Every structure is written in structure tokens, then in C-alpha cells.
């Protein structure tokens, strides 16, 4: 094989490899950024990553709530903020309605699931703000806030990414990952739903996970 040909072949091979590697790196980065919990679906079976953990926060009635208060109940956990224009209300509505759908089939099962909303914007989401917000979604929705440190800790435990978008103004938005987590009665991660899941899809997942 002539030298130039071999050189070209090697060059093409190297170029192809570089493109693949760049693409893979970009894909991994995007997954991480967007999901915060890339491939978490496999986490339970592999035991590599745990999702969830102890927390101490304040609910919309001003009461201290700890994760241990909810032992014996399933938890649907969603992280967001009340000022969110679209994704949070849609997700909270689907999460809340899924409990109503489940209640039609199995009222006791639905009662065994507590819906939690944890703010990633404690600077604006104080107790009064959460008290005004929560009733729009579900009568049993527990809305939680805390100090910046408490929120950072629980978000970290749930592999939730969040950050203030832009700077300055009081009307800022938050970037945040947007999953509905299902935790079992011992506080262990079972599965999660995406923010595009419908109430029916979440209800179906709940029914499966709760064994009804
Ligand atoms: Ni949101």
C-alpha cells in the first residue's frame, strides 16, 4: 500500500475516532446536566448510587418535618419552585392527579402515598408562599422549605441539579432537574417518573410498585 494511502487511512480513522469520542463526551455531559441522575434507573439493581436520604425541613404549616416522619408510607417527591411558570405546575398537577386516579381503583393504596414538594428556591419560597401554593394541587400535598443549606443537602441526596438562571432581578427563574421520585416505606428509592409523565402513567407506575 502506498505511503500516502496508508497515511490517509490512518488520518480518516483518527478523525472518526475523535468525532466519536467528542460525541460521547458531549452526550454524557448533556445527560448529566439535564438529568442530574443519569441512568439512575439502574442504580437500585447495581447499588452504585443511592437516591434520597435523611432531611429536616419545614412544611407549609411551619412544622418541622423529617424523612423519618414518613416511614411506613410511600413518598412521591418533586423538587421545584413556586415561581416556575410551566414545568413545576404541570409536574405537580400530574403527580397530584395520579393519586386521584389511583384512589378510584384502590383508595387505601392511594392513602399510603404522601406527595412531597421540596422547593429549590428557599429564598422566595417561605412558609407563607408554600401555604398559598400547595392547595392548588392536592389536599395532602406536603410542601417543604428550609435554609439554603438544608435544601442543598436534600437536593444533593436526591441527585437534583438546580441553579438560579440569570442574575439580579427578583423575577429570576431557576434551572432544575425535574423528576418525580417514588420512595418506598423504608425511605429507599424505587423508581422515578419524568416531568412529561401523565397522571395515568404515574398512577400505573404506582399501582405496579405498590403491588395492587
Ligand atoms: Ni420548574
Amino acid at each position: 500500500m502506498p505511503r500516502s494511502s496508508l497515511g490517509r487511512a490512518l488520518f480518516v480513522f483518527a478523525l472518526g475516532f475523535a468525532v466519536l469520542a467528542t460525541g460521547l463526551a458531549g452526550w454524557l455531559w448533556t445527560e448529566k446536566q439535564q438529568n442530574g441522575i443519569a441512568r439512575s434507573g439502574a442504580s437500585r439493581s447495581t447499588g452504585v448510587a443511592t437516591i434520597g436520604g435523611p432531611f429536616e425541613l419545614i412544611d407549609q404549616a411551619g412544622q418541622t418535618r423529617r424523612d423519618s416522619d414518613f416511614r411506613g408510607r410511600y413518598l412521591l417527591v418533586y423538587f421545584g419552585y413556586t415561581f416556575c411558570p410551566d414545568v413545576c405546575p404541570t409536574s405537580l398537577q400530574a403527580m397530584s392527579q395520579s393519586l386521584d386516579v389511583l384512589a378510584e381503583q384502590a383508595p387505601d393504596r392511594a392513602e399510603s402515598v404522601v406527595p412531597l414538594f421540596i422547593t429549590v428556591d428557599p429564598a422566595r419560597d417561605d412558609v407563607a408562599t408554600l401555604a398559598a401554593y400547595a392547595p392548588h394541587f392536592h389536599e395532602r400535598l406536603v410542601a417543604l422549605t428550609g435554609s439554603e443549606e438544608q435544601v442543598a443537602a436534600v437536593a444533593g441526596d436526591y441527585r437534583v441539579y438546580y441553579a438560579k438562571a440569570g442574575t439580579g432581578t427578583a423575577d429570576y427563574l431557576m434551572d432544575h432537574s425535574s423528576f418525580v421520585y417514588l420512595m418506598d416505606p423504608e425511605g429507599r428509592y424505587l423508581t422515578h417518573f419524568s416531568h412529561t409523565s401523565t397522571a395515568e402513567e404515574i398512577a400505573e407506575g404506582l399501582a405496579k410498585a405498590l403491588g395492587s
Side-chain angles (χ1 to χ4, degrees):
M1 186 185 277
R3 229 192 179 138
S4 57
S5 225
L6 176 64
R8 247 197 329 269
L10 280 173
F11 176 75
V12 168
F13 177 80
L15 186 68
F17 182 78
V19 167
L20 272 178
T22 306
L24 181 66
W27 178 77
L28 286 174
W29 186 84
T30 307
E31 275 280 287
K32 191 162 174 285
Q33 290 299 306
Q34 290 184 345
N35 292 347
I37 55 158
R39 297 186 304 277
S40 69
S43 65
R44 194 158 186 235
S45 53
T46 62
V48 169
T50 56
I51 291 176
F55 61 75
E56 184 177 312
L57 297 163
I58 301 166
D59 71 13
Q60 71 266 44
Q63 301 295 311
T64 298
R65 305 296 286 263
R66 297 177 183 84
D67 64 298
S68 53
D69 299 341
F70 302 101
R71 283 302 109 76
R73 321 283 298 276
Y74 290 85
L75 292 178
L76 278 174
V77 187
Y78 183 77
F79 288 81
Y81 66 113
T82 66
F83 196 73
C84 182
D86 41 35
V87 174
C88 288
T90 306
S91 302
L92 285 170
Q93 196 165 28
M95 180 170 99
S96 299
Q97 286 175 354
S98 74
L99 292 177
D100 297 336
V101 172
L102 185 64
E104 285 169 22
Q105 309 152 7
D108 294 350
R109 296 270 181 196
E111 287 287 327
S112 73
V113 183
V114 180
L116 292 191
F117 169 64
I118 301 178
T119 185
V120 293
D121 185 19
R124 287 183 300 190
D125 287 343
D126 55 13
V127 167
T129 305
L130 295 181
Y133 188 71
H136 291 296
F137 299 98
H138 199 278
E139 57 188 3
R140 294 195 293 109
L141 179 65
V142 178
L144 298 169
T145 187
S147 66
E148 298 281 352
E149 293 75 19
Q150 287 170 320
V151 167
V154 67
D157 284 347
Y158 277 81
R159 307 286 189 265
V160 166
Y161 161 83
Y162 68 98
K164 202 189 261 193
T167 51
T169 73
D171 291 345
Y172 61 86
L173 299 177
M174 301 287 292
D175 292 325
H176 64 98
S177 46
S178 197
F179 292 97
V180 177
Y181 299 94
L182 177 62
M183 312 299 287
D184 80 4
E186 278 78 49
R188 295 173 307 206
Y189 168 86
L190 277 179
T191 188
H192 66 268
F193 307 95
S194 96
H195 70 271
T196 57
S197 299
T198 64
E200 288 71 22
E201 286 164 353
I202 299 173
E204 200 181 315
L206 283 177
K208 204 182 288 177
L210 273 58
S212 57

